[in-house]
Amino acid sequence: MLKLSGEALMGNQGFGISPEMINNVAGEIKEIVDLGVETGIVVGGGNIFRGIAASSYGMDRTAADHMGMLATVINCLALQGALERMGIQTRVQTALSINKVAEPYILRKAVRHLEKGRVVIFGAGTGNPYFTTDTAAVLRAQEIHAEIFLKATKVDGLYDSDPVKNHDAIFIKKTSYMDVLRKQLEVMDVTAVSLAMDNSLPLVIFNLNVSGNIRNVICGEEIGTLITNTNIHDMMR
Ligand code: UDP
């Protein structure tokens, strides 16, 4: 399961979808599809609309989140187009039904698509307000029994403090869900991390801007930060 934020499709534009960026991302995804890796993708919508931002100036949060979820569908369709232009078969499934645009999310169908080598792009988050696409991605990962969850970011992984503000920030190669929660490392929201922890879904936080990184992570290279529950017992002693 690959989680792309909306911003990953934005490039340096500040808003919307950069054609160059989306083609780059599609090319990176193609590398793992060509290896035969069954690939599910959840795309965010932050490059277009974030519910919480609109609710901060008075809009009803649920309506704002509906707009955010629709924004993710726009990104899904853009990514689908880019992947299909590269000859990759895809299906978009959405948690909110938009039947003329995409299939509704049906787990069994999604799994069948994956088995047939199609990339399944999951849109509209969980279909519920007050959630994020990170949580949606962890949820879908559990449902399809994904072996690993890759969270693409703009940085190499987790640091003990903000590497932009603090040049002495220490890179964290491996850590536990509990540590991420306890130290409030802002990599994913608490709901997403807790859900991954409850189900021992390994998370890898890595830099999407380094070419070949998706393939390299999948091929077992130690790239980015691995979050698992391996040291949870040490911490409980
Ligand atoms: N959203 C939602 N429910 C979900 C997933 C997303 O309401 O299950 C809305 C929410 O408004 C959010 C927006 O969709 O701000 C875009 O998702 P997100 O912020 O996770 O996108 P990203 O930061 O990954 O680009």
Side-chain angles (χ1 to χ4, degrees):
M1 171 62 69
L2 174 68
K3 165 68 205 318
L4 299 172
S5 68
E7 283 175 9
L9 309 181
M10 185 170 79
N12 299 322
Q13 292 184 173
F15 180 81
I17 299 165
S18 150
E20 192 192 338
M21 194 61 198
I22 203 158
N23 284 332
N24 283 347
V25 172
E28 299 286 312
I29 295 166
K30 185 177 187 306
E31 290 188 3
I32 58 166
V33 177
D34 287 347
L35 291 175
V37 176
E38 292 181 14
T39 309
I41 304 175
V42 168
V43 193
N47 55 326
I48 300 172
F49 198 87
R50 273 212 179 90
I52 202 155
S55 70
S56 70
Y57 60 76
M59 189 171 182
D60 176 66
R61 173 74 190 265
T62 300
D65 279 342
H66 285 153
M67 291 174 70
M69 285 187 269
L70 293 174
T72 72
V73 179
I74 293 174
N75 286 333
C76 288
L77 296 178
L79 185 61
Q80 176 174 47
L83 287 169
E84 298 237 321
R85 283 195 296 280
M86 292 181 181
I88 299 168
Q89 286 206 28
T90 65
R91 291 291 185 274
V92 174
Q93 291 201 343
T94 56
L96 295 173
S97 293
I98 318 175
N99 292 346
K100 296 209 169 154
V101 171
E103 290 180 5
Y105 171 61
I106 298 171
L107 172 61
R108 281 173 186 276
K109 266 195 154 185
V111 169
R112 192 77 191 109
H113 289 319
L114 292 168
E115 286 168 355
K116 287 185 173 173
R118 296 171 185 147
V119 171
V120 181
I121 310 170
F122 299 98
T126 62
N128 300 296
Y130 296 93
F131 286 93
T132 63
T133 50
D134 280 351
T135 301
V138 172
L139 175 64
R140 294 290 178 256
Q142 311 290 0
E143 289 178 286
I144 64 171
H145 301 297
E147 286 170 64
I148 192 150
F149 181 104
L150 308 186
K151 159 120 179 164
T153 67
K154 289 181 284 189
V155 290
D156 289 336
L158 285 183
Y159 291 81
D160 66 345
S161 58
D162 186 344
V164 180
K165 292 181 197 148
N166 177 11
H167 292 299
D168 297 326
I170 297 168
F171 184 71
I172 303 168
K173 269 189 98 168
K174 197 172 176 189
T175 187
S176 66
Y177 310 103
M178 196 56 91
D179 231 19
V180 172
L181 294 172
R182 210 162 34 99
K183 293 182 184 159
Q184 298 182 349
L185 301 173
E186 287 175 7
V187 56
M188 286 163 77
D189 60 279
V190 170
T191 315
V193 177
S194 312
L195 189 59
M197 179 169 74
D198 286 348
N199 297 283
S200 302
L201 174 70
L203 312 174
V204 177
I205 317 300
F206 73 101
N207 194 341
L208 182 66
N209 295 326
V210 177
S211 176
N213 253 0
I214 300 180
R215 183 199 55 225
N216 294 340
V217 176
I218 289 292
C219 290
E221 279 188 37
E222 289 189 7
I223 287 167
T225 300
L226 174 66
I227 306 171
T228 61
N229 59 8
T230 44
N231 35 358
I232 199 164
H233 301 295
D234 303 343
M235 287 164 39
M236 285 162 72
R237 262 184 223 150

